[in-house]
């Protein structure tokens, strides 16, 4: 979480590498007394494929978010649905952020933006991930998203079958919906697997979903690996 000042209030933001946009719930904007800074000319919907979260965008907030090191972030999408404030990939890449992910001393460093209004929509971080039921067995390489906004790891039912994972079905007493940080997700069971990505290997419990576009490496695995993530984009050369 990152605490920052918005208007006259301090707001805690979830640092979510699986979100391409940074958002604020409308009720948060109201509490901060900033509704007069809300540009409502744009309406749209966002989609979180893991948590099945599809908030309606109420507009764009034209107000500054002040961080502890003097960096000012702006603007933010404002969503109508209740939820939690989220810092997404638009901020991470636009402000050259660095994350140190560990449960003891998590840190986030925000640099000055590359240019004015540098924050813009950016895709989540995808990596090649080898999924194996056993380290001695052949596995399958899939695209996986590094997602600090997901409390656990996910894989599709199809990929779980292709990699010959043992899918443990849910018992009748177990809910088929699992609570993630940003919402809930429907699952059909779970499986244990070895994941190899970025030169690291970890044994995790995967939540198996019926439909999932890519594998999700969630916060539980990222914390266990104490992963450091640096986000930067090269400045485009100006034409002369």
């Amino acid at each position: 979480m990152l605490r920052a000042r918005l208007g006259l209030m301090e707001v805690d933001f979830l640092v979510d590498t699986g979100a391409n946009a940074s958002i604020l719930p409308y009720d948060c904007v109201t509490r901060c007394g900033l509704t007069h800074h809300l540009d409502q000319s744009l309406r749209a919907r966002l989609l979180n494929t893991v948590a099945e979260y599809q908030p309606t965008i109420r507009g764009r907030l034209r107000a500054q978010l002040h961080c502890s090191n003097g960096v000012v972030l702006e603007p933010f999408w404002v969503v109508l649905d209740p939820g939690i404030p989220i810092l997404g990939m638009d901020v991470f890449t636009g402000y050259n952020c660095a994350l140190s992910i560990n449960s003891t001393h998590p840190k986030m460093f925000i640099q000055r933006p590359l240019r004015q209004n540098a924050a813009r929509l950016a895709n989540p971080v995808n990596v090649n991930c080898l999924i194996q039921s056993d380290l001695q067995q052949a596995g399958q390489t899939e695209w996986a998203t590094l997602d600090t906004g997901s409390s656990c790891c996910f894989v599709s039912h199809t990929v779980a079958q292709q990699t010959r994972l043992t899918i443990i079905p849910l018992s009748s007493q177990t809910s088929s919906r699992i609570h993630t940080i940003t919402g809930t997700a429907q699952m059909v069971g779970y499986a244990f697997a070895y994941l190899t990505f970025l030169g690291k290997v970890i044994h995790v419990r995967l939540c198996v979903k019926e439909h999932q576009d890519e594998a999700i490496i969630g916060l539980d695995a990222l914390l266990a690996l104490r992963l450091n993530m640096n986000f930067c984009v090269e400045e485009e050369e100006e034409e002369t």
Side-chain angles (χ1 to χ4, degrees), residues 34-45:
L34 296 173
T35 53
H36 58 290
H37 287 289
L38 182 59
D39 177 4
Q40 301 189 52
S41 61
L42 179 62
R43 299 294 180 92
R45 292 187 72 85

Side-chain angles (χ1 to χ4, degrees), residues 28 38 55 71 87:
C28 179
L38 182 59
V71 174
L87 283 184

Side-chain angles (χ1 to χ4, degrees), residues 127-132 138-144 159 162-163 196 215:
V127 297
N128 278 315
C129 179
L130 176 63
I131 304 174
Q132 298 169 280
Q140 182 167 314
T141 300
E142 296 286 333
W143 282 109
V159 171
Q162 291 173 345
T163 51
T196 303

Side-chain angles (χ1 to χ4, degrees), residues 112-124:
R112 297 288 177 180
L114 296 178
R115 60 181 68 83
Q116 187 176 7
N117 297 326
R120 55 190 176 187
L121 296 183
N123 292 325

Side-chain angles (χ1 to χ4, degrees), residues 5 7 78 84 99 114 129-130 135 157 161 163-164 184 219:
R5 181 169 55 84
V78 175
I84 57 177
L99 295 181
L114 296 178
C129 179
L130 176 63
L135 289 177
H157 188 263
Q161 289 181 318
T163 51
R164 298 181 180 179
T184 60
L219 188 59

Side-chain angles (χ1 to χ4, degrees), residues 62-100:
R62 305 291 179 179
Q64 295 180 335
L65 181 74
H66 296 267
C67 301
S68 59
N69 61 349
V71 174
V72 176
L73 309 179
E74 63 174 335
F76 280 79
W77 298 107
V78 175
V79 297
L80 182 62
D81 308 58
I84 57 177
I86 290 176
L87 283 184
M89 288 296 298
D90 52 347
V91 166
F92 304 147
T93 57
Y95 289 83
N96 282 354
C97 294
L99 295 181
S100 177

Side-chain angles (χ1 to χ4, degrees), residues 182-202:
T182 53
T184 60
Q186 186 82 25
M187 56 182 288
V188 298
Y190 62 92
F192 291 92
Y194 288 92
L195 305 182
T196 303
F197 62 97
L198 300 179
K200 301 177 182 294
V201 181
I202 187 171

